[in-house]
Amino acid sequence: MKAADERHMRRCLDLASQGVGGVEPNPLVGAVVVRNGRIVAEGWHRHFGGPHAEVQALERAGRRAKGATLYLNMEPCCHFGKTPPCTDRVIAGGVREVIVSHRDPNPIVRGKGLRILRRHGLRVRTGILEAEALALNRGFVKYHTRGIPYVAVKWAMTLDGKIATRTGDSRWISGKESRARVHRLRDEFQAILVGARTALRDDPQLKGWKRDPIRIVLDSGARLPLEAQLVRTARERRTIMAVTSEAPPNKVRRLERAGVEIVAQQEEIDMRILFEELGRSGIQSMLVEGGGEVHASVLDADLADEAIVFVGPKIVGGRDAVTPVEGKGVAKMAAALTLKEVRVECLGNDALIRGKLPS
């Protein structure tokens, strides 16, 4: 039975992943209806405000849902939001058993949906591929348990650990395969954060492959010009700028009129306070593509969950060349941050290293 459960739940996860980029702030959810050991219907949450996965699957199953088993990678909701409670639809569908990977971490639900199903006589089981399911919705889970976004720091560097030469030139450290992967990688995150130097030097749009994430710029003095692409497109794509009292009030007002959301702090940007505010604004996951000082500020504040590093087979040297993590650094090697669950992948001539940071 366990092998069949895992097979059907893995199909739920595959279906759920098809909603990447379209469902936030909702979680990625897939649903499979199984009767007599065979899948009779499937569904997944496709876009925010649309039908949830279990509703789609049960509608497709119709009368075949009677006495069947419903597999879900997350507990069904039990409250009115953009759609009615999914627990009502599950009960009405006539399934005899519901198998979920884990409870919904949202306090509005968190176990209540499963209790409702049990009260109506349905058999409920949990824990199938729980680790994989939690990883799929890592942003949603962290946001609803800790109130701040899931954060990955990402950079491209040379073999000798430089992200730019001594003159600041950084194009291109990695090859075209890695650059294509970065665009796909951005689809995994709701927002991208960069520092003012990156924004000024590259004038980026910060686009993804399937979707265009929210852009966040750390710019204490509001130096980014009104002609910058991030500012000119701020009415089309949500753009947030973190500033301090150093920013000229007239410039701040002009940025706001251009559509930029301003988050103001006092003498310096406190990253934890900023991330808490971003969380309150609905941002659940964020990719940090800053320079060395930005990465250091995020890592020093213990705000990063993951590191994603592209390594190009180049050596540039230079004691003044920029490194990916600046700041003060640790005094002893024993105090260095050590990645866990490390994965290494070849992309053309580059290497992609991805791993979890200590929590």
Side-chain angles (χ1 to χ4, degrees):
M1 189 67 178
K2 182 180 178 182
D5 288 341
E6 290 187 355
R7 184 173 68 254
H8 296 317
M9 191 60 75
R10 200 166 298 284
R11 179 58 182 162
C12 282
L13 295 174
D14 290 342
L15 291 165
S17 65
Q18 295 185 51
V20 167
V23 304
E24 290 90 350
N26 287 349
L28 297 163
V29 181
V32 171
V33 180
V34 176
R35 185 171 181 173
N36 298 325
R38 297 182 60 186
I39 295 176
V40 297
E42 300 177 336
W44 72 91
H45 190 28
R46 297 168 185 263
H47 60 86
F48 179 64
H52 289 190
E54 51 269 61
V55 172
Q56 289 187 40
L58 289 168
E59 285 181 353
R60 289 170 180 160
R63 282 186 281 186
R64 293 175 297 173
K66 299 291 184 182
T69 298
L70 174 65
Y71 288 83
L72 294 165
N73 58 292
M74 189 179 292
E75 172 183 11
C77 68
C78 55
H79 64 286
F80 280 91
K82 290 284 184 180
T83 61
C86 289
T87 47
D88 292 353
R89 184 64 184 86
V90 172
I91 293 164
V95 299
R96 65 175 174 80
E97 182 179 35
V98 178
I99 299 176
V100 303
S101 290
H102 61 85
R103 295 193 310 171
D104 188 331
N106 187 341
I108 297 174
V109 181
R110 199 175 295 167
K112 296 175 187 174
L114 300 181
R115 288 196 294 273
I116 289 170
L117 297 180
R118 289 189 174 108
R119 282 204 303 269
H120 282 81
L122 278 72
R123 183 184 178 195
V124 176
R125 288 191 287 136
T126 63
I128 306 298
L129 299 186
E130 183 175 6
E132 291 93 329
L134 288 168
L136 179 67
N137 278 301
R138 55 195 180 275
F140 184 85
V141 171
K142 185 180 178 184
Y143 173 78
H144 283 290
T145 54
R146 296 179 56 188
I148 55 177
Y150 180 93
V151 176
V153 289
K154 167 258 163 189
W155 63 80
M157 70 179 188
T158 61
L159 281 177
D160 54 339
K162 311 294 185 182
I163 62 172
T165 68
R166 59 183 173 80
T167 65
D169 181 42
S170 60
R171 294 192 176 184
W172 291 102
I173 290 172
S174 54
K176 62 181 181 180
E177 294 90 348
S178 293
R179 297 197 293 275
R181 176 62 66 85
V182 168
H183 282 86
R184 290 185 173 88
L185 177 67
R186 288 171 176 170
D187 287 342
E188 298 180 26
F189 297 87
Q190 198 177 354
I192 297 175
L193 182 146
V194 298
R197 289 183 183 176
T198 298
L200 288 166
R201 182 188 66 229
D202 298 340
D203 191 24
Q205 290 194 57
L206 302 177
K207 298 175 73 69
W209 187 262
K210 287 171 43 179
R211 71 160 170 183
D212 294 329
I214 299 164
R215 291 87 58 89
I216 305 162
V217 185
L218 304 180
D219 190 358
S220 298
R223 294 181 293 156
L224 199 64
L226 298 173
E227 298 77 23
Q229 292 195 87
L230 292 174
V231 178
R232 287 192 290 106
T233 58
R235 294 196 183 281
E236 303 161 22
R237 293 174 55 196
R238 187 180 177 195
T239 304
I240 302 168
M241 182 179 291
V243 303
T244 67
S245 53
E246 173 189 337
N250 287 341
K251 179 65 176 298
V252 170
R253 285 192 291 270
R254 293 173 73 187
L255 288 165
E256 288 179 316
R257 285 198 293 269
V260 177
E261 297 178 33
I262 299 295
V263 177
Q265 295 190 20
Q266 290 304 310
E267 295 182 0
E268 62 181 23
I269 296 173
D270 184 305
M271 298 300 285
R272 181 163 292 277
I273 291 174
L274 172 63
F275 282 24
E276 288 172 352
E277 187 159 352
L278 293 173
R280 286 192 294 272
S281 78
I283 294 175
Q284 298 180 356
S285 62
M286 185 162 48
L287 183 64
V288 177
E289 296 189 27
E293 293 297 339
V294 172
H295 294 149
S297 66
V298 173
L299 292 167
D300 288 347
D302 194 25
L303 291 166
D305 301 278
E306 185 178 6
I308 304 170
V309 182
F310 295 84
V311 183
K314 299 177 181 178
I315 299 172
V316 300
R319 65 177 59 88
D320 296 324
V322 186
T323 60
V325 183
E326 301 282 338
K328 186 177 180 181
V330 300
K332 300 278 188 181
M333 189 59 68
L337 294 174
T338 302
L339 297 184
K340 303 178 294 182
E341 301 174 35
V342 176
R343 290 173 286 160
V344 180
E345 180 183 353
C346 288
L347 295 171
N349 291 325
D350 301 336
L352 169 57
I353 302 171
R354 188 168 184 172
K356 299 289 183 63
L357 285 157
S359 57

